[in-house]
Amino acid sequence: VIHVYLGNPAPVEGVVDPSADELTLVALDVPGGAVTTVDIAHDDLFAAVAEVRDLWRYHSSGPPTWVASDHDGLAAVLASGFGCPAIDIDAGVAEVVAANDRASTAAGDAMEGTPGDVRDLGDLR
Amino acid sequence: VRTNLGTDWHARALGALTNSKTGTGTTAPTATTITLDDATAPGSTSAWNGQLITCGAVFGVIVSNTNATPPVVTVDRWYDPTTPGGAAGTTPAAGRYQILAGMAPAQWMAITTDATAAAATDTTLGTEETTNGLGRAYATYAHTTSAASYTLTKAFTYTGSASKVLAKIGVFNASAGGIMTFESVLNATSTVNASGDVTTVTETVTL
């Protein structure tokens, strides 16, 4: 399995309108950006490049800021195609952790109330 | 469309740490079967459908079982964990087996020329392509941190010569048979005309 990580400065997520069964891409507000993780379970590099380039538009509204992979050749090809730098795989993995931390912090900031508040949630039965 | 079976699959995959089983087999497994020699009849022929079974260094996706003592479990194939999308793994020797709780991930993508609307009640993909590079294949998974969706992508490289207009895909949890969890008409048909033509399909799954 080949792992690819891409710095995602403008992340989007898919939302489906159930009445129309149509997919809409909605921007995600993640200060500092997100990271997109790709797992490729074959060794056809031509197909891998095609797949990463195709899937990217369903994850971001902008070009990646960096790419990392445990396959150096694939990282180089993707970086060249996207016009961004290839970074070390360990740095890419660390960015995944950092992006999750940023997202958690942003979600916490968005919550109402302060830690320790007790709110009446009504009858939940 | 998430199929009705896909909804059941999703619920069990995420929330059910039940229905696991372990034991030791003495009958040599075949390329697609394993006998649970120390188990009794499970009560139905779909007792563990969609779950993973491990034996030795490989695993398989259970697609059916006999309701007999001992039960014989049929898997789609044996997988080498290091190359799940590659060739089938080596058939294991008889020994310790374990049926895991939860469900096998749905990462196999199938494609068809059938343009009939997708329906939640569908359980198979009509006229599923099986040859010339268009057969069911292990898709590339991608997820963005904090996004409530993920994608499955497959670049199909055609090796045939007859023109085909591809119109719909299905996502399954096994390389053959298995549970069709999602079915989607392509937002635009894709025509392959000659060997070497490539069509890349991305399915977005919302969580």
Side-chain angles (χ1 to χ4, degrees), chain A residues 35-85:
Chain A
V35 176
T36 298
T37 299
V38 183
D39 293 346
I40 301 165
H42 59 72
D43 56 5
D44 181 345
L45 293 186
F46 177 80
V49 171
E51 288 166 358
V52 175
R53 292 191 65 82
D54 193 76
L55 68 85
W56 181 250
R57 58 190 156 138
Y58 298 97
H59 291 267
S60 184
S61 59
T65 49
W66 51 264
V67 59
S69 175
D70 48 13
H71 191 294
D72 292 341
L74 178 60
V77 171
L78 289 173
S80 176
F82 280 124
C84 66

Side-chain angles (χ1 to χ4, degrees), chain A residues 13-14 35-37 39 51 54 59, chain B residues 140-141 143-144 148-149 151 155 202:
Chain A
E13 68 180 3
V35 176
T36 298
T37 299
D39 293 346
E51 288 166 358
D54 193 76
H59 291 267
Chain B
T140 288
Y141 161 88
H143 175 64
T144 297
S149 60
T151 57
T202 292

Side-chain angles (χ1 to χ4, degrees), chain B residues 60-127:
Chain B
V61 179
I62 298 173
V63 294
S64 68
N65 59 270
T66 60
N67 185 22
T69 300
V72 178
V73 165
T74 298
V75 297
D76 60 337
R77 68 175 197 176
W78 296 110
Y79 292 79
D80 178 341
T82 63
T83 56
T90 304
T91 300
R96 195 80 180 160
Y97 65 83
Q98 183 161 15
I99 297 174
L100 303 178
M103 302 294 274
Q107 205 169 346
W108 289 94
M109 185 181 290
I111 198 163
T112 178
T113 57
D114 177 10
T116 307
T121 52
D122 287 349
T123 59
T124 59
L125 188 67
T127 61

Side-chain angles (χ1 to χ4, degrees), chain A residues 1 8 11-16 21 23 25 28 30 33-42 44 46-48 50-52 54-60 95-96 99-100 103, chain B residues 1-2 81-86 107 118 138-157 183 187 196 198 200-207:
Chain A
V1 177
N8 188 340
V12 298
E13 68 180 3
V15 176
V16 171
D21 193 32
L23 177 73
L25 297 175
L28 282 173
V30 183
V35 176
T36 298
T37 299
V38 183
D39 293 346
I40 301 165
H42 59 72
D44 181 345
F46 177 80
E51 288 166 358
V52 175
D54 193 76
L55 68 85
W56 181 250
R57 58 190 156 138
Y58 298 97
H59 291 267
S60 184
E95 282 294 331
V96 175
N100 277 321
Chain B
V1 169
R2 191 189 315 269
T82 63
T83 56
Q107 205 169 346
Y138 210 75
T140 288
Y141 161 88
H143 175 64
T144 297
T145 51
S146 75
S149 60
Y150 64 90
T151 57
L152 298 170
T153 303
K154 180 60 192 174
F156 292 93
T157 302
E183 184 184 34
N187 55 6
V198 177
T200 305
V201 179
T202 292
E203 170 85 332
T204 296
V205 179
T206 56
L207 301 173

